[in-house]
Amino acid sequence: MDQLKVLIVDDETLVRTKIRVSIDWEDNGDCGSADAALDLMEEETPDIILADICMPVVDGLKFAKQVRQQNPEIQIIFLTGHDKFSYANDSIKIGVFDYLLKPVDAGELLETLSRSRIKIEKERRHDEEF
């Protein structure tokens, strides 16, 4: 299996840096806004997106809906400091893979990314069989 591409979308530079450093995968990038991420995705499609829900201009929920419309196969994991039930409920409706609260533990993040990787690999093997 090829290396999976991870895109980190968060308006806080420090958060993006900490996440990027904790991810063991070589092929990952980051953006400070949903708009920048959508522009980047026109050139290269990530396998997994780690996104904050509360961002200026385009929030994570609107961003996730746009991603779902463009490419429903991308796994989306929300990282947020907000534990509002409505955010989690909306995330489920959009079909995000997981919803983690900040500050996220590196081990929890890596475990979530590993589960996402396994799901992606299973889906790709299934698609190859048919």
Side-chain angles (χ1 to χ4, degrees):
M1 171 70 51
D2 292 332
Q3 189 78 341
L4 296 181
K5 296 176 186 144
V6 179
L7 177 61
I8 304 160
V9 185
D10 196 304
D11 58 314
E12 297 179 48
T13 304
L14 183 60
V15 171
R16 291 193 318 268
T17 301
K18 285 183 177 184
I19 293 170
R20 192 174 55 249
V21 169
S22 68
I23 295 175
D24 192 11
W25 300 345
E26 292 176 19
D27 200 2
N28 62 68
D30 64 89
C31 293
S33 72
D35 288 335
L38 291 168
D39 289 344
L40 180 66
M41 288 172 54
E42 288 180 12
E43 298 170 21
E44 193 167 339
T45 303
D47 300 293
I48 300 170
I49 296 175
L50 300 172
D52 190 5
I53 286 182
C54 293
M55 293 184 289
V57 185
V58 177
D59 68 25
L61 293 169
K62 289 179 186 171
F63 170 66
K65 287 177 186 175
Q66 290 177 301
V67 169
R68 282 276 167 260
Q69 289 173 348
Q70 291 177 6
N71 190 335
E73 295 176 3
I74 296 173
Q75 296 287 323
I76 301 169
I77 300 168
F78 277 137
L79 304 173
T80 184
H82 300 278
D83 61 353
K84 288 184 177 179
F85 176 75
S86 62
Y87 284 151
N89 192 38
D90 289 344
S91 299
I92 291 168
K93 289 177 184 175
I94 294 168
V96 301
F97 181 76
D98 211 335
Y99 181 97
L100 304 175
L101 292 175
K102 292 179 188 176
V104 67
D105 175 73
E108 180 183 21
L109 176 60
L110 291 174
E111 188 273 330
T112 302
L113 287 168
S114 178
R115 286 188 299 109
S116 180
R117 171 193 279 274
I118 290 167
K119 182 176 180 184
I120 290 168
E121 290 173 349
K122 282 182 181 177
E123 289 172 355
R124 288 181 181 170
R125 277 194 302 271
H126 180 265
D127 289 346
E128 288 174 1
E129 292 174 3
F130 293 98

